[in-house]
Amino acid sequence: EKWMPIREVTRAGLKDYLLELRRRGYAIVGVEQTHNSIQMDEFRFPTNAALLLGSEKEGIDADLLPLLDSCVEIPQAGQIRSLNVHVSGALAVWEYTRQWRAGLCA
């Protein structure tokens, strides 16, 4: 494929959309700092992955966290452990693409 499909979904329709993606065989991978998060450089992305990004400051809504198959966070150093959501999204897409091109996706 020449392009990676990216779709923006309204907050009101997000839960149903994620459940539909799961029914279609996608794993839902959240980019969020939680007590169960896996460092992104230690995570093997599934081939069919849907990335869920949260909003600035609040992150992924708490009611959506149970829908995640996996949760990854971007390794960071220092006091402030936060990146803008567009930066986090770009890094997650880059890491997925790197793994996919190298044949590393699970």
Side-chain angles (χ1 to χ4, degrees):
E1 290 220 4
K2 284 184 151 187
W3 305 103
M4 182 179 293
I6 296 176
R7 181 171 178 191
E8 183 178 0
V9 179
T10 65
R11 187 175 290 213
L14 190 52
K15 184 174 182 179
D16 289 337
Y17 183 70
L18 293 174
L19 292 172
E20 173 60 26
L21 286 176
R22 179 171 289 130
R23 282 190 289 276
R24 291 175 34 204
Y26 285 84
I28 312 302
V29 179
V31 181
E32 184 65 87
Q33 295 171 341
T34 71
H35 64 279
N36 292 327
S37 296
I38 302 166
Q39 297 292 310
M40 192 180 305
D41 59 343
E42 297 173 359
F43 180 73
R44 181 170 281 179
F45 278 91
T47 301
N48 291 326
L51 289 174
L52 179 62
L53 304 172
S55 61
E56 296 286 347
K57 297 182 185 167
E58 291 84 28
I60 296 174
D61 289 346
D63 64 324
L64 296 177
L65 290 174
L67 299 177
L68 300 178
D69 296 300
S70 301
C71 194
V72 299
E73 67 178 90
I74 298 163
Q76 298 174 57
Q79 295 266 333
I80 298 176
R81 299 193 55 214
S82 173
L83 295 171
N84 292 63
V85 69
H86 72 279
V87 173
S88 297
L91 290 170
V93 169
W94 179 86
E95 179 61 19
Y96 170 84
T97 303
R98 184 192 71 76
Q99 289 184 22
W100 182 80
R101 291 181 68 192
L104 298 174
C105 288

